[in-house]
Amino acid sequence: MKIGIVGLGLIGGSLGLDLLAQSSESEPNYIWGISRSPDTCKQAEAIAAVNIASTNIQNIPDVANTDIVVICTPIASILPTIQALAPQLPQNVIFTDVGSVKAAIVEPASKICQQFGQGFVGSHPMAGTAFQGISAVERNLFQNRPCVITPSEDQAALAKVRSLWQSVGMQIYEASPEDHDRAVAMISHAPVMVSASLIAACQQESDRSVLQLAQNLASSGFRDTSRVGGGNPELGRLMAEYNQSAILRSLYTYQQSLQSVIKLIEQNQWAELEAFLADTQSDRNFYVE
Ligand code: NAP
């Protein structure tokens, strides 16, 4: 397949790396990439995340035979990027994106693509690390991780996007943009804010020696609970900005839950607290192994 990747950071670069690594004589992949910075483009070529990369699509030879273009820029740039590239790409090319929100993207992106006889299917590969940029790319980042794709009447486009993500090892779930946004608000976007707030709360300790001791003692438990709060700040802001109502809904529910826990502790209701924790201990199995 001939695949374009726009935005050569953690997600775009890691995707290119896997797609090129699995390219074979019988099933060759050719990857072209676009990013804003010439240094990113050079680095992406050097690590074999792309065959060729440039800051300008005009410098990419023979884009006419491209099958799929994957937009891997930050959320705010996804629609402007599709708007700028669609007129420069052939009819029948399929666009997808990797944005962590879907309702704000899928309908307007589909409309832009329709104008040019092109297809759009929204994607959200649920894989990431706390790092960003081309230097953060990882082989097998997507292996055995879930990927949401949004429904489309264009069955051929849907099949191509599904097969792209399956080829890098992802498990596909089809969901409407709205259901996707509510579900990821619960298990991804709100946890970023909860985790960040935990780090901020620790930093409010005014006794310097206690704070220093806490920093020395923090171990695996704190590493787990603070991990997503220590991630890419731009991504966190954009998740909240573009998924505002769903993230607020999750955070208000979390606030109520935390308030109930505080009350149990204030009122010495230890048996009730233990029952609450027994429920969360077993309920966690619904979400993670
Ligand atoms: P990232 O590491 O910061 O990569 C984005 C890259 O896009 C940057 O390195 C930047 O490279 C390039 N870029 C920025 N604006 C651009 C533009 N207008 N045109 C072309 N290239 C541009 O971020 P990421 O973590 O890969 O996230 C990218 C997308 O993946 C986001 O939409 C995010 O919602 C989604 N996502 C992220 C995660 C995660 O955990 N990180 C998980 C799933 C989905 P240069 O400026 O150096 O050229």
Side-chain angles (χ1 to χ4, degrees):
M1 279 212 291
K2 190 165 192 173
I3 300 155
I5 298 179
V6 184
L8 298 169
L10 169 68
I11 300 296
S14 300
L15 176 63
L17 215 53
D18 281 357
L19 289 171
L20 270 191
Q22 67 187 227
S23 179
S24 64
E25 246 174 63
S26 55
E27 288 189 50
N29 282 333
Y30 181 87
I31 317 289
W32 56 261
I34 294 186
S35 217
R36 283 178 313 185
S37 131
D39 278 352
T40 305
C41 293
K42 268 190 217 145
Q43 219 177 320
E45 285 176 356
I47 61 170
V50 291
N51 296 99
I52 184 168
S54 172
T55 55
N56 189 337
I57 194 169
Q58 307 278 345
N59 298 330
I60 307 284
D62 197 24
V63 287
N65 301 320
T66 304
D67 297 289
I68 300 189
V69 178
V70 190
I71 309 295
C72 303
T73 66
I75 295 167
S77 309
I78 292 174
L79 290 175
T81 301
I82 295 174
Q83 185 79 64
L85 292 182
Q88 307 187 61
L89 285 159
Q91 277 198 352
N92 299 326
V93 78
I94 292 155
F95 277 91
T96 188
D97 73 310
V98 298
S100 311
V101 301
K102 293 274 69 81
I105 289 170
V106 172
E107 200 187 316
S110 304
K111 279 193 180 142
I112 299 168
C113 293
Q114 259 168 22
Q115 283 171 28
F116 297 94
Q118 298 157 344
F120 181 84
V121 174
S123 304
H124 181 194
M126 304 277 305
T129 69
F131 305 105
Q132 63 200 85
I134 188 70
S135 54
V137 299
E138 278 186 22
R139 277 293 317 275
N140 299 321
L141 182 69
F142 307 100
Q143 196 66 40
N144 297 324
R145 307 294 305 277
C147 178
V148 174
I149 61 173
T150 60
S152 165
E153 282 167 15
D154 183 345
Q155 293 304 316
L158 210 51
K160 267 197 179 168
V161 172
R162 179 182 285 271
S163 127
L164 173 83
W165 294 117
Q166 279 173 336
S167 78
V168 292
M170 300 205 88
Q171 291 160 3
I172 311 298
Y173 297 86
E174 203 175 309
S176 71
E178 293 71 25
D179 284 356
H180 164 274
D181 286 2
R182 278 181 64 177
V184 296
M186 287 163 60
I187 52 79
S188 173
H189 298 176
V192 168
M193 304 307 154
V194 170
S195 171
S197 303
L198 176 69
I199 299 169
C202 290
Q203 288 298 99
Q204 282 175 39
E205 171 56 56
S206 55
D207 185 326
R208 288 207 146 266
S209 62
V210 172
L211 180 62
Q212 183 64 64
L213 184 61
Q215 288 170 349
N216 291 337
L217 297 181
S219 186
S220 55
F222 194 77
R223 182 173 295 114
D224 289 347
T225 46
S226 65
R227 185 179 68 79
V228 293
N232 179 346
E234 184 192 14
L235 179 56
R237 175 214 143 152
L238 291 169
M239 283 170 176
E241 196 178 333
Y242 285 82
N243 197 17
Q244 189 184 23
S245 62
I247 196 173
L248 280 176
R249 183 188 167 114
S250 292
L251 286 172
Y252 291 143
T253 309
Y254 171 74
Q255 195 175 36
Q256 282 168 11
S257 189
L258 185 61
Q259 203 51 52
S260 311
V261 169
I262 290 172
K263 220 178 215 169
L264 292 178
I265 297 173
E266 279 174 348
Q267 296 175 352
N268 300 329
Q269 290 181 276
W270 309 123
E272 289 81 355
L273 180 64
E274 187 174 334
F276 169 79
L277 293 173
D279 284 346
T280 60
Q281 183 186 44
S282 71
D283 290 347
R284 184 171 185 266
N285 298 324
F286 292 128
Y287 300 90
V288 286
E289 280 170 11

